[in-house]
């Protein structure tokens, strides 16, 4: 199983596991940081000690060999010499956000409130990715080039995704505490795929 397929399976299982859980916060903080015109927004809770991850692990463990599957995922997804608690958690902070600003132009930006931005830069280097990072209002923002980061900063001047009527209409009734959230703008998807 490839790393991408394994991660996808875990995220899908985790999303199902927490779909029925309620909460008290108002959804992902990243929605207040992502630009209003974002075509696709993904938010993943990266606090691995959180209730969302506990629920996801418990859900996957219900399946035959679920514990072995989780151990396999952790082993396969981590780079050699990288420790989940010591390296990944401080690098990602409590939430990882991905904003696809433009589906047609494929402008993709990631962002997190990294506890240790140097750990994040180190992880990105070890993954063999040529990534540019920038600090914006306490968030570490990263993309393949500085042009994408500039586009992200410019787009933020128009307001945040959380303030968007479309985002509120689509996500307003969802449970607050979810491990994974994905939002796609109807206008952005239509523009990209006709």
């Amino acid at each position: 199983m490839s790393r991408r397929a394994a991660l996808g399976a875990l995220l899908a299982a985790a999303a199902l596991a927490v779909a029925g859980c309620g909460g008290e916060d108002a959804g992902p903080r990243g929605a207040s940081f992502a630009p209003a015109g974002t075509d696709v927004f993904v938010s993943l809770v990266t606090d691995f000690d959180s209730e969302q991850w506990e629920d996801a692990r418990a859900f996957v463990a219900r399946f035959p060999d679920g514990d072995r599957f989780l151990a396999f995922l952790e082993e396969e997804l981590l780079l050699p010499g990288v420790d989940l608690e010591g390296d990944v958690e401080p690098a990602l902070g409590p939430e990882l956000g991905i904003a696809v600003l433009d589906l047609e132009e494929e402008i993709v930006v990631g962002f997190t409130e990294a506890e240790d931005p140097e750990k994040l830069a180190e992880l990105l280097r070890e993954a063999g990715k040529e990534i540019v990072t920038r600090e914006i209002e306490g968030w570490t923002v990263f993309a393949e080039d500085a042009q994408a980061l500039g586009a992200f900063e410019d787009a933020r001047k128009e307001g945040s995704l959380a303030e968007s009527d479309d985002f509120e209409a689509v996500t307003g009734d969802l449970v607050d505490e979810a491990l994974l959230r994905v939002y796609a703008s109807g206008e952005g998807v239509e523009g990209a795929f006709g």
Side-chain angles (χ1 to χ4, degrees):
M1 178 182 288
S2 73
R3 288 183 184 203
R4 180 174 286 170
L7 179 59
L10 176 63
L11 293 179
L16 288 171
V18 296
C21 300
E24 296 182 8
D25 63 20
R29 285 181 35 81
S32 297
F33 184 69
T38 298
D39 282 352
V40 177
F41 169 70
V42 178
S43 172
L44 173 67
V45 173
T46 47
D47 173 0
F48 300 108
D49 295 323
S50 67
E51 185 177 332
Q52 291 96 323
W53 277 99
E54 286 180 20
D55 290 346
R57 287 186 196 100
F59 177 78
V60 173
R62 288 183 188 167
F63 292 92
D65 293 328
D67 292 337
R68 286 178 38 196
F69 177 68
L70 289 173
F72 166 80
L73 282 179
E74 186 170 328
E75 180 181 314
E76 285 297 308
L77 295 176
L78 291 178
L79 296 167
V82 174
D83 176 65
L84 183 65
E85 193 172 309
D87 298 319
V88 177
E89 287 187 21
L92 296 182
E95 177 184 342
L96 174 65
I98 308 263
V100 181
L101 301 181
D102 190 313
L103 279 168
E104 287 185 272
E105 299 295 323
E106 297 182 3
I107 301 174
V108 181
V109 176
F111 49 92
T112 184
E113 293 177 293
E115 295 170 26
D116 188 340
E118 285 303 313
K119 287 269 189 195
L120 177 59
E122 186 180 325
L123 276 181
L124 292 171
R125 278 193 304 273
E126 288 182 16
K129 303 290 184 187
E130 292 294 326
I131 301 291
V132 179
T133 64
R134 186 177 296 174
E135 296 297 315
I136 303 173
E137 296 180 15
W139 293 77
T140 302
V141 183
F142 52 95
E144 290 186 348
D145 54 50
Q147 186 176 355
L149 296 182
F152 183 84
E153 282 198 274
D154 289 345
R156 290 189 72 243
K157 294 174 185 172
E158 304 299 318
S160 76
L161 186 60
E163 299 167 336
S164 158
D165 291 339
D166 290 341
F167 182 78
E168 176 59 31
V170 171
T171 65
D173 293 333
L174 298 178
V175 296
D176 290 337
E177 286 189 6
L179 179 64
L180 175 71
R181 287 177 181 249
V182 179
Y183 161 81
S185 157
E187 186 177 325
V189 172
E190 185 177 350
F193 299 107

